[in-house]
Amino acid sequence: MPWATAVLLLLAGLCGCCRGQYNEEEDLAWLQYYLRQSRASSYSYVPYYEEESPAYAYSYPSATDSEPEPEPEPQQAAPWRCPQECDCPPNFSSAMYCDTRNLRYLPFVPSRMKYVYFQNNLIASIQEGAFDNATELEWLALHNNQIGSERMGKRVFGKLRRLERLYMNNNNLTRLPSPLPRSLRELHLSYNHISKVPPNALEGLENLTALYLSHNFIFEMGASLKGLSSLILADLSYNNLRRVPDGLPASLEQLYLEYNYISAVPDHYFQVSPRLLYVRMSHNSLTNQGLSSNTFNSSSILELDLSYNRLQKIPRVNTNLENLYLQGNQINEFSISSFCSVVDVMNYSRLQVLRLDGNEIKRNAVPPDAPLCLRRATVIEI
């Protein structure tokens, strides 16, 4: 036996004694794989994309020495195997790191994996059945690639029944992937080319808590958010929306709609979400004609950003509001009734920050009872 192999066997035995998380069968399999790899010149994948063809083709080169190379075992029989293109840390055996390696295809994903990272590559397609072997996946990172909707299998995520986080931002998607696993908690699809969200695109995602769709070209959301009963955050900023989404979920806490073309908001629109805390609608086309007197009078909202719109008057807000941003509008009067319907010792606004700079209000237009109504305000910019 060559001395290098003997040393390797000794080290493997020592490691096996101190790594309590591995059993003997897995250690032996790992050692056999390592020895086989040391004799082989390379281990390569030859992927291709055809819907009617198998998802992957594998080639195993012959050994470099005189000993014949054993026949390769099926991938399913070797759950410990890690693709040569990736790293699978021994102390984190359920994670596979394939990020930032100029990959143009998806390597095989072993069945034991729960966390797989393919971000920052040149991947343009996802073959049908690419993840059928890795049904235990919980995190899947595919962001910062070149994946297009037309180059994805029709049900690539269909068997991932435990997937919680899917990262596909910064790709070339023109529509939402479908179907999506019902187990999803976070869906990251920002910086794509999505233009429409069909009513049933998010159907069945009762566990989804965060939806990121910013920096797309979406012009219509319809009632696609209505059935997301666990949704906490919806980021729809930097799109082409001309109206607010219909039917907000009752669970919603954060709604980001800045940098769209919204001109109106229905009466009592936000009151169907009693947990809503943060609303950002800056850089839209809001006018006072498109708002009712109670549009923003929601007792749960703590921060409201309406800056850089076309408002001429301060909209009425609830006394529980803490931060109000109205800079960059066309407001020409300071109406204290927008903050306090009654001004006395017991009735006052909890507002702490009020920004009215970049409007048409003059400093001497502030009414004398403003300090009593806004007694908690620490920042007022006019």
Side-chain angles (χ1 to χ4, degrees):
M1 177 183 299
W3 68 271
T5 305
V7 172
L8 182 59
L9 287 172
L10 178 59
L11 290 175
L14 291 174
C15 292
C17 295
C18 53
R19 290 202 315 266
Q21 68 269 33
Y22 294 118
N23 55 39
E24 295 181 1
E25 182 179 353
E26 185 169 315
D27 285 339
L28 182 58
W30 175 85
L31 182 57
Q32 290 174 345
Y33 167 72
Y34 190 92
L35 291 175
R36 185 183 302 121
Q37 290 296 94
S38 66
R39 295 194 300 268
S41 59
S42 64
Y43 182 74
S44 61
Y45 296 88
V46 185
Y48 51 91
Y49 183 85
E50 290 291 340
E51 288 190 2
E52 66 276 6
S53 303
Y56 300 96
Y58 302 93
S59 63
Y60 294 79
S62 59
T64 56
D65 56 15
S66 58
E67 182 180 352
E69 175 72 8
E71 289 294 324
E73 298 174 350
Q75 293 288 347
Q76 292 79 359
W80 44 266
R81 179 172 292 155
C82 183
Q84 183 177 348
E85 298 90 338
C86 308
D87 291 327
C88 305
N91 59 344
F92 194 15
S93 60
S94 59
M96 187 170 82
Y97 296 89
C98 311
D99 54 301
T100 319
R101 295 161 197 251
N102 291 322
L103 294 179
R104 297 180 180 273
Y105 60 92
L106 288 174
F108 176 81
V109 182
S111 60
R112 75 173 187 274
M113 294 303 168
K114 294 183 179 180
Y115 313 96
V116 178
Y117 304 92
F118 291 116
Q119 71 269 24
N120 303 324
N121 281 295
L122 303 172
I123 300 169
S125 64
I126 304 179
Q127 301 90 333
E128 189 72 55
F131 305 111
D132 285 1
N133 183 64
T135 57
E136 301 297 313
L137 279 181
E138 296 180 11
W139 288 34
L140 179 56
L142 291 162
H143 51 287
N144 296 329
N145 277 286
Q146 301 174 9
I147 302 170
S149 295
E150 303 302 324
R151 300 295 305 276
M152 288 181 59
K154 296 180 180 179
R155 299 185 60 86
V156 292
F157 307 121
K159 294 186 178 181
L160 303 182
R161 298 181 180 179
R162 297 189 179 184
L163 190 66
E164 295 184 358
R165 291 173 174 83
L166 176 60
Y167 299 85
M168 295 195 72
N169 38 302
N170 285 95
N171 276 285
N172 297 324
L173 299 176
T174 55
R175 59 177 181 268
L176 269 68
S178 181
L180 291 166
R182 293 175 177 265
S183 55
L184 269 186
R185 294 184 179 274
E186 292 184 15
L187 179 58
H188 299 255
L189 295 172
S190 299
Y191 292 95
N192 277 283
H193 305 289
I194 301 169
S195 59
K196 187 177 181 180
V197 180
N200 61 344
L202 301 169
E203 187 176 0
L205 302 183
E206 291 89 356
N207 295 309
L208 194 68
T209 60
L211 175 63
Y212 298 90
L213 283 169
S214 68
H215 294 88
N216 277 281
F217 301 96
I218 301 171
F219 63 89
E220 178 65 45
M221 286 292 296
S224 55
L225 302 181
K226 189 174 183 179
L228 305 179
S229 56
S230 299
L231 193 66
I232 294 175
L233 183 152
D235 187 356
L236 306 173
S237 59
Y238 292 88
N239 277 288
N240 294 330
L241 293 174
R242 297 187 178 277
R243 54 176 297 180
V244 292
D246 297 329
L248 296 180
S251 58
L252 196 64
E253 296 180 8
Q254 303 176 49
L255 178 62
Y256 303 135
L257 291 166
E258 62 263 39
Y259 287 92
N260 278 284
Y261 299 92
I262 300 169
S263 59
V265 182
D267 192 17
H268 302 291
Y269 176 72
F270 298 107
Q271 295 182 14
V272 299
S273 302
R275 300 179 183 177
L276 192 60
L277 301 173
Y278 307 100
V279 176
R280 296 179 183 174
M281 297 189 69
S282 66
H283 296 273
N284 274 279
S285 302
L286 292 174
T287 64
N288 289 97
Q289 290 73 27
L291 305 176
S292 73
S293 59
N294 289 310
T295 298
F296 298 109
N297 189 14
S298 175
S299 61
S300 65
I301 299 178
L302 299 180
E303 180 176 294
L304 177 61
D305 188 352
L306 301 175
S307 59
Y308 300 99
N309 277 280
R310 300 176 184 175
L311 299 174
Q312 295 179 323
K313 296 181 180 180
I314 300 174
R316 184 179 179 185
V317 295
N318 194 271
T319 55
N320 289 330
L321 188 68
E322 295 181 357
N323 300 292
L324 177 59
Y325 303 95
L326 290 167
Q327 68 270 24
N329 278 278
Q330 302 168 10
I331 300 172
N332 53 28
E333 64 175 295
F334 194 113
S335 53
I336 200 65
S337 60
S338 298
F339 307 101
C340 301
S341 56
V342 177
V343 181
D344 56 32
V345 177
M346 300 300 296
N347 296 280
Y348 57 91
S349 171
R350 276 71 175 172
L351 203 65
Q352 299 177 17
V353 176
L354 172 61
R355 289 196 56 180
L356 286 165
D357 47 307
N359 281 280
E360 300 174 10
I361 300 178
K362 297 181 179 180
R363 289 183 177 272
N364 57 9
V366 179
D369 52 353
L372 185 60
C373 171
L374 303 175
R375 65 185 70 175
R376 288 195 175 183
T378 57
V379 176
I380 298 179
E381 295 189 17
I382 299 178

